[in-house]
Amino acid sequence: MEKSRCPVEEGDGLGLAESSTGLIADTSDGTLPVYDAPSTRPTWGNKMQYILAQVGFSVGLGNVWRFPYLCHQNGGGESFLLLYFLLGSEHSSGQHWCMEHISPRLAGIGFASCVVCSFVALYYNVIIAWSLFYLGNSFQYSLPWESCPSMANSSNLVPECTQSSPTTYFWYRQALDITDSIEDTGSFNPIMIGCLFAAWVIVCLAMIKGIKSSGKVMYFSSVFPYVVLFCFLVRGLLLEGAADGIRYMFYPRLQIWGDVQVWRQAATQVFFALGLGFGSVIAYSSYNSHNNNCHFDAILVSFINFMTSVLASLVVFAVLGFRANVIVKDCVEKNLEHFSMLMKMGSINISQVITPNVSATVQEYQLWYEQHQDVLKGIPLERCSLEKEMNKGVEGTGLAFIAFTEAMSLFPASPFWSVLFFLMLLNLGLSTMFGNMQGILTPLIDNFSALRRRRTLLTVLSCLLGFLIGLLFVQRCGSYFVTMFDDYSATLPLIIVVVFETISVSWVYGAERFIDDIEGMLAWRPPVVYKYLWKYICLIGMVGLLLASLIQMCIQHPTYRAWNVSQAEEVTLQYPPWGMVVLIGLILLASLPIPALFIRQLVREYVGWPDADPTQTSHNYYAEVYTKCSTDPDTAQIAEQAAEEMDEATRENGFFVRENEEYKLLPQEEGTDGQEFF
């Protein structure tokens, strides 16, 4: 016989159907559905979506333009990454809840990570906007950056272009329309405003339904870059000079190992490459089941990330080797012609110089130049060094939008390769942006139930706010602010976040206890070496990295690279006083939630605030809600016991339901395989 259900009180209007214990959840239509799953939190459609999402987030633009010079120093992040995969899978929640589950005093760590994700998302989408601009300009033949434009009402070429190069001129003048310094703000760039708006629209549409929509997008955005990289690798290896570029990549320079700055940059690259400290890794993992093999995921994603960086480095240096080879050959040809002209004019004493072969190779010319250096002093001839050309414009945006773009303009069918390249950059940027947005939205949704019910509106408003703040970066001086945010808004705060996360897990929660949790999930115990890595080796290394970064910042005044129009070249400038205030403010703002929420929790505990202990609050709340169903003493006692059992489950799962979510305990239906609740 079916037993009557507890009625739903009119006027609730909650429309909720979420429960962490399989209890009955109120719905607005008066029915009380039953949930057998431990949580109705959204989950990935399959394991492949999750792996692609993690790979897409960790493999980003940094693998293309940061890693090539650091690949031989990179790696070793697997033990770090394991913490973030495990934390999310273990507690089925975002980073804020993971830290608060360890201790309410640590809730600020999750929010600090959320702030870092916000800063990165702001300028990262600007880079996506740049990629959209170049992608749109790639659908023409010939490419607009292949040659210098003429001056208005004149057949003469623009001096700024002839003094630099067509690709450099197009980047600084056509794309950015840049000013001479960060102090000269200039007007807004209308074309870039449109590209930035389009970039945020794409992100919004992909994120609007949570992981159900972004997970499907990952099938394309995470796989397509690999297709393009393999195409470029095959094409690059067939180019003349590719071997020189790859040889330059792997040539050991042991003397730089003594430079602390190199180690700092290499370690920072590990953080960015694997997503350490970003809440995105935990947020993605939070949509997995409790028994997900996080250890395998950590190793797999670390391996894929490292191999992707090596693959991207091979592609980059093969193409740059081809570019350098073409430039050096052109340099030799021009110098030989100039030398022949000087010989005919009698400006050079023929008896002191062996006349070089007009068709001399690069190696023959360099040998001839070294043999006659003393005689050639004062004569405007260059050595035409391949290594010198390889060193030009191979870092940051200069690699993607200047050096690599120039190399592609030398390819046959250059528009086709340009479209492929910037589509790849677009997908790399978007897959990382999806992770950043997940790291922003998940803590907010987990912490505020009202936002959970309005996820679509929250996503749209977040993207709109990101676009409005992002207008800072599409001024004529906007790229200088991109550099500032890239160098200072994420790097130091990210290290601080990871240091506190490591302390929280290995010392507050306990490394041994953490390994016990892993054993409970995986049914086998990880090696004990992880315990010592988390407690000592990694922690000491990160603290050393943090101190080295702070000392470096104090000793050397922060600088940035600016484009000087009159000289038609990049120059190094110091940030103005107000710029120093801004970058220091960015670091403090990103780190502020950690001490602020720690002090807040101490005050709440000191004054005896009712919900200072989340588990106690959860127990009292549910005990009160359950007893509303009946005034019978026996039923009330059963409800109290159920509340205690539910409270224990809450502590185990790390999942707390707050505010207006009401769950009502119903009697057990006979013949339900011994389950305690509907």
Side-chain angles (χ1 to χ4, degrees):
M1 178 178 178
E2 183 178 358
K3 299 181 181 180
S4 61
R5 294 185 174 183
C6 182
V8 180
E9 298 178 6
E10 296 183 1
D12 285 345
L14 299 175
L16 296 177
E18 294 189 12
S19 170
S20 63
T21 57
L23 301 178
I24 302 302
D26 286 350
T27 55
S28 56
D29 59 1
T31 62
L32 294 172
V34 178
Y35 291 92
D36 296 326
S39 173
T40 58
R41 184 181 183 85
T43 58
W44 296 102
N46 52 61
K47 184 62 177 284
M48 181 59 69
Q49 285 187 6
Y50 167 67
I51 293 297
L52 289 177
Q54 291 287 15
V55 170
F57 172 68
S58 64
V59 176
L61 298 174
N63 295 79
V64 175
W65 65 40
R66 274 198 180 101
F67 189 83
Y69 268 155
L70 302 173
C71 60
H72 63 290
Q73 302 170 36
N74 204 351
E78 185 271 331
S79 60
F80 266 120
L81 192 61
L82 178 61
L83 274 69
Y84 306 99
F85 280 107
L86 177 64
L87 277 172
S89 300
E90 170 68 14
H91 301 299
S92 292
S93 57
Q95 188 170 20
H96 163 73
W97 279 118
C98 291
M99 294 298 104
E100 189 171 31
H101 178 71
I102 294 175
S103 172
R105 301 175 183 178
L106 303 176
I109 299 176
F111 282 111
S113 179
C114 182
V115 174
V116 172
C117 281
S118 301
F119 285 158
V120 173
L122 287 175
Y123 76 83
Y124 216 86
N125 228 22
V126 177
I127 301 175
I128 295 177
W130 294 343
S131 301
L132 283 173
F133 175 79
Y134 268 80
L135 178 62
N137 281 277
S138 298
F139 290 96
Q140 50 185 304
Y141 191 83
S142 60
L143 293 173
W145 50 81
E146 286 187 4
S147 59
C148 289
S150 301
M151 299 177 62
N153 302 322
S154 174
S155 59
N156 296 328
L157 299 179
V158 177
E160 184 182 357
C161 181
T162 55
Q163 294 174 23
S164 53
S165 70
T167 50
T168 304
Y169 174 81
F170 185 86
W171 167 241
Y172 284 116
R173 190 54 52 217
Q174 299 294 331
L176 301 180
D177 193 18
I178 200 167
T179 58
D180 283 348
S181 71
I182 196 173
E183 297 181 271
D184 184 8
T185 57
S187 58
F188 285 102
N189 188 331
I191 297 178
M192 281 303 168
I193 291 177
C195 292
L196 180 63
F197 181 77
W200 276 110
V201 168
I202 295 172
V203 172
C204 183
L205 293 176
M207 298 295 301
I208 202 165
K209 293 297 182 182
I211 63 168
K212 295 300 182 183
S213 57
S214 62
K216 293 180 175 62
V217 175
M218 288 297 175
Y219 283 117
F220 177 79
S221 63
S222 297
V223 174
F224 179 75
Y226 290 95
V227 177
V228 177
L229 282 176
F230 275 110
C231 290
F232 268 101
L233 180 63
V234 174
R235 184 68 185 91
L237 292 177
L238 297 176
L239 296 171
E240 183 180 4
D244 294 327
I246 295 176
R247 190 181 305 112
Y248 178 83
M249 168 185 168
F250 288 107
Y251 183 78
R253 298 171 182 84
L254 300 181
Q255 66 274 14
I256 68 173
W257 285 23
D259 188 353
V260 177
Q261 178 74 357
V262 173
W263 286 96
R264 187 182 70 85
Q265 292 176 347
T268 303
Q269 169 62 18
V270 175
F271 279 67
F272 276 97
L274 296 178
L276 305 180
F278 291 96
S280 311
V281 179
I282 296 180
Y284 276 154
S285 299
S286 71
Y287 300 107
N288 279 328
S289 61
H290 173 79
N291 59 350
N292 177 63
N293 192 340
C294 57
H295 188 270
F296 172 79
D297 295 341
I299 296 176
L300 178 63
V301 174
S302 298
F303 177 77
I304 293 176
N305 183 283
F306 179 77
M307 294 309 298
T308 302
S309 297
V310 174
L311 173 63
S313 297
L314 289 172
V315 172
V316 167
F317 278 90
V319 173
L320 291 182
F322 162 71
R323 167 183 171 270
N325 193 273
V326 172
I327 294 175
V328 169
K329 280 188 174 182
D330 185 61
C331 173
V332 170
E333 182 179 344
K334 289 181 178 179
N335 281 354
L336 290 176
E337 290 179 358
H338 185 61
F339 181 81
S340 299
M341 183 180 66
L342 293 176
M343 291 275 291
K344 293 178 181 179
M345 295 173 59
S347 301
I348 298 177
N349 189 345
I350 301 179
S351 61
Q352 297 180 356
V353 180
I354 301 176
T355 305
N357 187 351
V358 179
S359 59
T361 64
V362 174
Q363 290 77 13
E364 291 173 345
Y365 171 82
Q366 290 177 345
L367 180 61
W368 171 84
Y369 185 88
E370 291 174 357
Q371 291 175 347
H372 300 84
Q373 280 186 349
D374 296 335
V375 180
L376 297 176
K377 284 182 179 179
I379 300 176
L381 295 178
E382 298 182 26
R383 185 178 181 275
C384 300
S385 170
L386 184 68
E387 184 175 353
K388 178 182 178 182
E389 293 300 329
M390 290 291 297
N391 282 328
K392 289 183 179 179
V394 291
E395 185 178 357
T397 54
L399 173 61
F401 296 105
I402 298 178
F404 208 92
T405 302
E406 181 178 347
M408 287 187 299
S409 66
L410 303 174
F411 286 10
S414 55
F416 168 77
W417 293 103
S418 182
V419 169
L420 278 184
F421 178 72
F422 289 109
L423 268 178
M424 179 189 70
L425 287 188
L426 181 63
N427 279 274
L428 287 173
L430 285 175
S431 58
T432 303
M433 267 299 298
F434 297 155
N436 284 329
M437 291 301 295
Q438 202 69 54
I440 297 169
L441 298 176
T442 298
L444 297 176
I445 291 173
D446 285 347
N447 196 46
F448 305 102
S449 59
L451 297 179
R452 191 179 312 130
R453 298 192 296 271
R454 299 174 178 85
R455 181 186 179 99
T456 299
L457 180 61
L458 173 65
T459 303
V460 173
L461 292 179
S462 298
C463 292
L464 179 60
L465 180 62
F467 167 72
L468 294 176
I469 299 177
L471 293 176
L472 169 71
F473 304 104
V474 290
Q475 303 175 91
R476 291 182 59 194
C477 66
S479 66
Y480 301 140
F481 285 98
V482 171
T483 301
M484 176 189 290
F485 271 66
D486 187 36
D487 290 342
Y488 298 102
S489 72
T491 305
L492 285 177
L494 197 64
I495 298 173
I496 294 172
V497 167
V498 177
V499 166
F500 278 99
E501 284 181 342
T502 307
I503 294 174
S504 303
V505 173
S506 58
W507 291 96
V508 179
Y509 187 76
E512 193 68 34
R513 183 181 175 189
F514 193 62
I515 292 179
D516 291 340
D517 292 340
I518 302 177
E519 184 178 12
M521 294 173 61
L522 306 181
W524 59 272
R525 193 169 185 83
V528 70
V529 66
Y530 284 132
K531 172 182 176 181
Y532 297 102
L533 283 173
W534 296 331
K535 294 188 68 173
Y536 305 108
I537 306 300
C538 295
L539 188 57
I540 293 174
M542 287 186 299
V543 171
L545 174 62
L546 177 61
L547 293 176
S549 301
L550 291 174
I551 293 173
Q552 181 76 18
M553 185 176 174
C554 295
I555 294 178
Q556 296 183 357
H557 193 287
T559 60
Y560 65 99
R561 299 286 291 174
W563 178 252
N564 187 291
V565 177
S566 59
Q567 300 177 18
E569 64 180 9
E570 284 188 336
V571 295
T572 300
L573 300 178
Q574 293 185 347
Y575 283 106
W578 64 264
M580 291 295 298
V581 173
V582 172
L583 65 87
I584 293 175
L586 291 173
I587 297 172
L588 294 178
L589 182 60
S591 308
L592 184 62
I594 298 177
L597 292 185
F598 180 84
I599 296 173
R600 173 179 177 269
Q601 181 62 26
L602 288 180
V603 173
R604 290 162 68 92
E605 293 173 1
Y606 179 78
V607 301
W609 199 265
D611 61 344
D613 183 355
T615 59
Q616 184 63 35
T617 303
S618 173
H619 171 83
N620 294 337
Y621 176 77
Y622 285 110
E624 178 184 352
V625 172
Y626 293 150
T627 55
K628 288 182 180 180
C629 293
S630 174
T631 57
D632 181 74
D634 295 335
T635 306
Q637 183 178 2
I638 294 174
E640 178 68 20
Q641 294 176 354
E644 293 178 359
E645 294 178 3
M646 193 282 311
D647 183 53
E648 179 64 27
T650 298
R651 287 195 297 269
E652 291 178 358
N653 296 331
F655 184 84
F656 303 98
V657 184
R658 293 183 172 182
E659 297 185 11
N660 297 326
E661 300 182 38
E662 298 186 358
Y663 296 82
K664 296 181 171 63
L665 177 67
L666 299 181
Q668 168 66 28
E669 184 74 51
E670 295 180 1
T672 55
D673 299 328
Q675 293 181 359
E676 289 295 325
F677 305 109
F678 268 86

